[in-house]
């Protein structure tokens, strides 16, 4: 039976964020959390990693100003370790754990509606839709690519859909007891830790729930270089997930590395054809790249003309954005984790 959701029965909530080098975004994120219309005061835990900017200074200032924030050190910068630190520091009596990220801004009703969905669905975890928003042409192109199937696939938290059971949830609002039952976040997965957590929850009998009305604003990377680095490392970690959980391999995950292999092979065939003076070989080598670029252009037009339409400069940046995302992710997947990435990501 669904649980009651009147204000008196709403549980106490702790919101947790792992932050590092978030000076441009941190205060807006924190204010959006503390200004929620939740019927009880929200507590917040900020796990602060080693930063090159004023992130720690801002976190400490906000903690003093509000009296509702616990700031903890996260020496390695690892997200799962920071999230587990937040779980451990939830005050007594707080039974719901809400995750947010430093690049996110949550609307004023987000926590109340997320907890209501958690109670009414009977789920152990609830999540909504990531809404990428950009301020510059490249950032707007990245935002549009991230919410289109040609960019990050057709997962509901990227593209939307109807409310119902889900394999994973974006960020996530969880029952504390469920997280503690499975041992929290795995420190092995510096990236994709939310997906791996949801896998363990589902295999132990938990229901996860997608609610498309829960929208979280996300600020994506601002430059092609930053996007390439993000997706290169994400591809590496996804390879690690598939290595440890072979049954999770899918077309969505294998498509980018396949594209990289096919394009690399096509380049070799084209060069050999040119050196040998073989027109058929040269043409054969160009077929796959031409088909891929044609697909990217078609997807870019479709994405750019969705409402609201992208401005011209952002639309022109969209094909390069998709290519950067695909090839960086695919190359990272093929490369697999390096020791440097493990160290940089705090493993």
């Amino acid at each position: 039976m669904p649980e009651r959701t009147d204000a008196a029965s709403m549980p106490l909530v702790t919101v947790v964020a792992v932050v590092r080098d978030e000076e441009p975004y941190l205060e807006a994120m924190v204010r959006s959390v503390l200004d929620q219309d939740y019927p009880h005061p929200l507590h917040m835990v900020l796990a602060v990693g080693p930063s090159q900017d004023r992130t720690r200074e801002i976190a400490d200032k906000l903690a003093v100003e509000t009296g509702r924030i616990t700031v903890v050190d996260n020496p390695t910068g690892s997200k799962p370790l920071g999230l587990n630190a937040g779980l451990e520091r939830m005050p007594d009596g707080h039974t719901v754990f809400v995750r947010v990220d430093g690049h996110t801004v949550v609307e004023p009703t987000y926590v109340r509606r997320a907890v209501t969905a958690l109670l009414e669905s009977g789920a152990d975890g609830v999540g909504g839709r990531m809404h990428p928003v950009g301020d510059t042409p490249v950032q707007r192109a990245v935002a549009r690519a991230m919410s289109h199937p040609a960019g990050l696939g057709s997962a509901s938290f990227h593209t939307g859909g109807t409310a119902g059971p889900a394999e994973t949830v974006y960020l996530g609002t969880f029952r504390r007891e469920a997280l503690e039952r499975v041992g929290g976040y795995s420190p092995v997965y510096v990236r994709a830790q939310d997906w791996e957590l949801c896998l363990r929850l589902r295999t132990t009998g938990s229901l996860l729930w997608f609610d498309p009305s829960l929208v979280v604003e996300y600020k994506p990377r601002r430059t092609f270089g930053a996007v390439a680095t993000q997706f290169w490392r994400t591809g590496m970690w996804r390879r690690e997930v598939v290595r440890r959980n072979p049954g999770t391999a899918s077309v969505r995950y294998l498509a980018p590395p396949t594209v990289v292999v096919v394009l690399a092979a096509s380049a070799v065939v084209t060069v050999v054809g040119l050196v040998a003076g073989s027109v058929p070989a040269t043409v054969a080598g160009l077929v796959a790249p031409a088909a891929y670029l044609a697909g990217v252009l078609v997807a870019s037009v479709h994405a750019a003309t969705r409402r609201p339409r992208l401005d011209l400069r952002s639309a022109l940046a969209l094909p390069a954005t998709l290519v950067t995302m695909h090839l960086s992710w695919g190359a990272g997947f093929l490369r697999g984790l390096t020791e440097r990435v493990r160290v940089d990501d705090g493993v």
Side-chain angles (χ1 to χ4, degrees):
M1 292 291 291
E3 301 174 32
R4 296 176 61 206
T5 56
D6 57 279
S9 69
M10 297 289 270
L12 298 178
V13 173
T14 294
V15 180
V16 178
V18 180
V19 295
R20 179 180 185 178
D21 293 322
E22 295 287 359
E23 181 179 346
Y25 308 103
L26 181 58
E27 184 157 0
M29 180 272 285
V30 170
R31 299 291 184 194
S32 75
V33 170
L34 297 184
D35 290 343
Q36 293 287 301
D37 69 349
Y38 200 69
H40 308 300
L42 299 176
H43 183 70
M44 189 166 198
V45 178
L46 293 176
V48 183
S51 301
Q52 304 301 313
D53 60 13
R54 297 175 55 247
T55 295
R56 181 57 187 256
E57 178 186 337
I58 295 170
D60 289 336
K61 176 180 73 75
L62 291 170
V64 172
E65 286 180 4
T66 65
R68 296 163 57 192
I69 297 173
T70 298
V71 180
V72 299
D73 287 320
N74 187 27
T76 68
S78 164
K79 278 198 174 182
L81 292 179
L83 291 166
N84 286 338
L87 178 62
E88 292 170 1
R89 287 163 176 79
M90 289 179 67
D92 292 341
H94 283 230
T95 58
V96 174
F97 174 106
V98 176
R99 177 184 172 182
V100 298
D101 275 349
H103 272 51
T104 59
V105 174
V106 292
E107 57 188 15
T109 63
Y110 177 82
V111 172
R112 174 174 53 80
R113 290 187 297 108
V115 174
T116 298
L118 188 76
L119 299 178
E120 293 185 345
S121 67
D124 280 337
V126 167
R129 194 162 52 85
M130 179 178 71
H131 177 51
V133 177
D135 300 319
T136 67
V138 171
Q139 196 177 35
R140 285 192 290 271
V142 175
R144 184 58 59 91
M146 292 181 74
S147 57
H148 189 273
L152 291 181
S154 57
S156 56
F157 66 85
H158 289 304
T159 60
T162 58
E167 289 190 354
T168 187
V169 293
Y170 173 58
L171 296 178
T173 295
F174 298 100
R175 297 178 192 263
R176 179 180 186 173
E177 61 183 4
L179 293 183
E180 292 177 339
R181 185 185 75 240
V182 298
Y185 291 83
S186 169
V188 172
Y189 295 93
V190 174
R191 304 194 185 207
Q193 71 281 153
D194 48 355
W195 185 93
E196 192 275 339
L197 169 71
C198 289
L199 175 64
R200 281 186 288 120
L201 284 169
R202 286 189 291 108
T203 57
T204 58
S206 290
L207 170 67
L208 301 176
W209 193 262
F210 170 68
D211 184 340
S213 72
L214 299 173
V215 179
V216 180
E217 185 177 295
Y218 170 82
K219 293 286 188 178
R221 302 301 190 269
R222 294 174 175 267
T223 66
F224 287 125
V227 171
T229 299
Q230 177 189 15
F231 278 77
W232 162 258
R233 294 195 170 198
T234 300
M236 287 181 168
W237 279 105
R238 182 57 64 180
R239 165 76 173 272
E240 185 69 5
V241 171
V242 172
R243 184 182 73 81
R244 292 174 178 269
N245 302 276
T248 65
S250 67
V251 172
R252 175 187 169 196
Y253 298 142
L254 298 180
T258 300
V259 168
V260 172
V261 170
V262 170
L263 292 181
S266 297
V268 171
V269 171
T270 301
V271 170
V272 170
L274 290 172
V275 171
S278 171
V279 174
T282 302
V283 172
L286 294 174
V287 170
Y292 172 67
L293 291 177
V296 166
L297 290 174
V298 170
S300 297
V301 170
H302 183 265
T305 54
R306 281 184 166 184
R307 295 181 182 274
R309 288 173 175 263
L310 279 181
D311 61 277
L312 180 59
R313 291 177 63 192
S314 301
L316 291 175
L318 195 50
T321 300
L322 287 172
V323 170
T324 300
M325 291 166 64
H326 294 164
L327 300 190
S328 299
W329 200 102
F333 187 95
L334 291 170
R335 177 64 181 85
L337 277 180
T338 63
E339 188 59 32
R340 178 179 176 181
V341 169
R342 289 181 183 274
V343 172
D344 288 349
D345 283 351
V347 178

